[in-house]
Amino acid sequence: DGLEPVRLDTLGLRTATILDLGGQPLGASLPTSVDGSIRERVVTAQALTVEADDTASMLEASTTRSAQWRRVIGLLATSALTDAEVVDVAAEMRAEFAAIRGAIEIPEAFAFTLTGRRSTVPIKITNNGDVPLSVLVRLSSPKLLFPDGPQLVTVEPGQFAEVMVRIEARSNGDSPVTLEVYTPNGGSLLGRPVPLRDSACTRAISSSAASAVNSHRPPTCAAVRTLPTGASAGQRRSAH
C-alpha cells in the first residue's frame, strides 16, 4: 500500500518496557492483520502532504506549522485514529490550508497604459491574514514580454505590497494580459486568473510612430493609436 517505515519518535510516540513480578519483560502478541483497508487513508495522507507542502511554501521558514502538519498526517494511516476521525482531521487541515491561502487578496481586472515599448505596471497584493505570506506573481501575454519573469513577494500581515512588473512590447496593437498569483512552489493558483482590461490607452506604441504623431505634445489617450514602424504620413495624420 505504499507505506514506508518510520520511527516511533517521528509520530510523537514513546516505548516503555513493562516487567512482570519477577522483573522479566512481559511479552505481547500483535495481530497479523486488522479489519478493513488503509488504502484510502494512505491516499488521503498523500494528498494532504502535497497540500501541506504547498501551503507551507507561503509561510516563513521559521514557522512550526509544517512540522505539526506532517506529524498529524503521519498518524492517518495508523490505528491511532478511527476512520471517522481521519475524515474529521483531513477536513480540519484543509480548512486551515484554505484560510491561509484565502488571506491573499489579488486585484480585480483593471486597465493599464503602455506609453512606449517598455513600461512598468504595479500589481497590488494584499495580505488579510495574521502572519507574513509569500506568493508568486506572474503575468502572461501573447504580445508582451516580462523580463523579470514570475516575481516572489512577501506581504506582511494586514498590509499590501506593490509588485512592479517590467513589461516590454514585442509587437504593435492591443495586448491582452493575464495576471496569476500562485503559491511560491507553483503548486496552487490563488484565486482565478485575472484578465487585465484593455482600454483606449492600452497600446504598445513604437517609439518612432509615437515621436511622429506627438512631435508637439505629449501622448494622450485619445490622440494616439498604434502604428507600425514606417507608417505613411497620411496614416500618421489620421491617428490624430
Side-chain angles (χ1 to χ4, degrees), residues 215-231:
S215 57
H216 301 295
R217 63 180 185 274
T220 63
C221 202
V224 179
R225 59 187 275 263
T226 303
L227 295 177
T229 303

Side-chain angles (χ1 to χ4, degrees), residues 60 127 129 131-133 154-160:
E60 293 181 311
N127 177 6
V131 296
L133 296 174
T154 299
V155 190
E156 294 300 316
Q159 304 293 322
F160 70 86

Side-chain angles (χ1 to χ4, degrees), residues 108-137:
E108 297 180 354
F110 65 91
F112 64 90
T113 303
L114 293 181
T115 56
R117 285 294 184 184
R118 295 176 177 82
S119 189
T120 301
V121 174
I123 304 296
K124 182 180 178 181
I125 305 296
T126 302
N127 177 6
N128 294 315
D130 55 6
V131 296
L133 296 174
S134 297
V135 296
L136 199 63
V137 178

Side-chain angles (χ1 to χ4, degrees), residues 140-219:
S140 60
S141 171
K143 292 186 178 182
L144 301 175
L145 298 176
F146 305 93
D148 298 322
Q151 296 190 51
L152 181 66
V153 58
T154 299
V155 190
E156 294 300 316
Q159 304 293 322
F160 70 86
E162 278 195 342
V163 184
M164 305 305 294
V165 180
R166 292 193 300 142
I167 300 177
E168 295 181 4
R170 57 184 178 182
S171 64
N172 299 296
D174 295 348
S175 305
V177 178
T178 300
L179 165 66
E180 295 170 311
V181 179
Y182 289 88
T183 53
N185 66 2
S188 292
L189 179 65
L190 303 177
R192 296 180 178 179
V194 179
L196 304 189
R197 294 195 309 269
D198 193 15
S199 70
C201 287
T202 310
R203 300 287 186 263
I205 308 169
S206 68
S207 57
S208 59
S211 176
V213 174
N214 302 288
S215 57
H216 301 295
R217 63 180 185 274

